Amino acid sequence: MTARDKDRSPARARELDEPGQAGNDAAERMARAGLTRVLEPGDPRSGQWLRRLGPVALFQRLRGEGPSLPGATAGRMAGLRSRARDARPELDLAAARRAGARFVCPGDSEWPAQLDDLGDARPLGLWVRGTPSLRFWALRSVALVGARACTDYGAHAAGLFGAGLAEQGWVVVSGGAYGIDGAAHRAALGAGGATVAVLACGVDSPYPRGHTQLIARIAEQGLVVSELPPGDHPTPSRFVRRNRVIAALTRGTVVVEAAHRSGALSTARAPPCVWGVPSWESQAR
C-alpha cells in the first residue's frame, strides 16, 4: 500500500471527522443524512463545522438552541435551524430504500476514498441508486462532460468517446444533462458498458424531466448518484458544485465541447483532465 493509498483508507476518512466517532455507526449515518437536507453541497464553511464538531454534534446544535456557529450570521443560523428542525432523516432513508437507493458515508466500504481529497468541500455522504459498488467503479472511471446546447459534431464526439471508453472497460461518468452528458451516457449503455450519472437533485427525482427514461435506465444498468436527499430539487449553484464530485470521483475529465464560459469547464479545474474540442473549433469544422 502506498502512502497515498493510506491517506485514502477508511481509517483516514474517519480521522477527517470528530476523533473517536465511527465512520459508519447508526447515529452518524442518521446525522449525515439529516445534514444533507440542511447544508448546501460543497460549502467549505459547513465542512469546517463538520470537521470541528462531527456530524452528530453539528446536527444536534442546529436542531437546538445552542450558540451560533463560527462565521454564521444571525440570518444564516435562523435558516439553518429552521431546515434542521424540519429535517426527517429517517423518512429520507426510507424514501431512498423505496427508490432502490442507499446512503453511503465516509468510512463505509463503498465510499470512494478519493473524495476525501476535497477536504472541507467533501460530500456529507452520497445517495446512490443502483446495485454496483460505487467505490469499485470509481477506480476505473472517466468523466465526459460538456455543453448542454452542443453541436451535432460535439454529440457525435461524445458518443465516440463514450462507446470507446466503455468498450475498453472504463466507467463513463457524467451529469445526466442534455447535450454532451446524454450522448456520453447513451453511448456507454449502447456499447454494453458501465455509466454513472451524478445529479444535482434527488436520485428519485430525475432532472431534466426529458431524461427520466435515460436516468431510469442508468439506474438499472449502472449508478445514479447525488449529494441531495430524495425529492430535492436542483438549483443553479448545485449544478456547479456537483461538478467537483464528478471530477474528484474519476481518474480524469474529458471536456468534449464547451463554450469559454461554460459551467462544464469547472469540472476540469481539478486535475487530471483531458481537453476535448472547444465549441468554437468544432463549429469551424
Side-chain angles (χ1 to χ4, degrees):
M1 177 181 288
T2 66
R4 186 172 179 82
D5 291 334
K6 290 179 181 177
D7 286 342
R8 290 178 168 181
S9 66
R12 173 59 178 156
R14 288 193 290 273
E15 289 171 7
L16 293 173
D17 298 318
E18 182 71 1
Q21 287 191 335
N24 56 1
D25 67 17
E28 177 170 333
R29 187 176 304 280
M30 190 68 70
R32 284 183 175 274
L35 288 169
T36 65
R37 184 67 71 178
V38 179
L39 304 175
E40 280 297 307
D43 175 38
R45 176 72 71 179
S46 298
Q48 292 170 10
W49 297 334
L50 184 71
R51 174 165 46 83
R52 293 172 182 172
L53 297 175
V56 176
L58 177 58
F59 192 45
Q60 289 174 344
R61 182 181 291 195
L62 289 173
R63 299 187 91 173
E65 299 296 335
S68 295
L69 293 164
T73 63
R76 185 177 186 186
M77 280 301 301
L80 291 172
R81 282 177 166 152
S82 176
R83 289 198 293 274
R85 284 192 286 266
D86 290 341
R88 295 293 182 269
E90 67 280 2
L91 299 183
D92 285 334
L93 290 166
R97 287 193 294 271
R98 289 193 297 272
R102 58 195 176 278
F103 186 58
V104 179
C105 299
D108 286 349
S109 60
E110 191 181 355
W111 180 257
Q114 62 267 36
L115 292 177
D116 299 334
D117 291 344
L118 292 171
D120 287 335
R122 180 181 70 170
L124 290 157
L126 292 173
W127 302 87
V128 181
R129 182 180 167 199
T131 57
S133 166
L134 178 62
R135 182 190 66 82
F136 181 76
W137 273 26
L139 293 174
R140 189 174 170 82
S141 63
V142 174
L144 292 182
V145 297
R148 288 175 174 82
C150 66
T151 64
D152 290 342
Y153 173 77
H156 176 70
L160 290 177
F161 277 127
L165 286 165
E167 289 168 356
Q168 294 298 316
W170 287 86
V171 178
V172 174
V173 180
S174 197
Y178 292 132
I180 297 299
D181 291 13
H185 288 307
R186 289 190 181 93
L189 291 170
T195 190
V196 177
V198 182
L199 306 183
C201 57
V203 295
D204 62 338
S205 305
Y207 184 90
R209 298 300 182 193
H211 274 181
T212 298
Q213 290 185 347
L214 173 62
I215 293 171
R217 186 180 171 197
I218 295 171
E220 291 174 359
Q221 297 182 222
L223 290 170
V224 177
V225 177
S226 178
E227 295 179 79
L228 283 306
D232 220 342
H233 303 291
T235 64
S237 64
R238 289 174 175 178
F239 284 113
V240 175
R241 292 178 176 178
R242 176 270 311 271
N243 292 344
R244 84 193 193 289
V245 176
I246 294 176
L249 193 65
T250 54
R251 305 292 290 179
T253 299
V254 179
V255 181
V256 179
E257 179 184 69
H260 288 295
R261 295 187 178 181
S262 170
L265 296 182
S266 66
T267 314
R269 292 192 181 118
C273 67
V274 179
W275 288 89
V277 182
S279 59
W280 62 267
E281 184 175 346
S282 67
Q283 291 166 1
R285 292 184 182 183

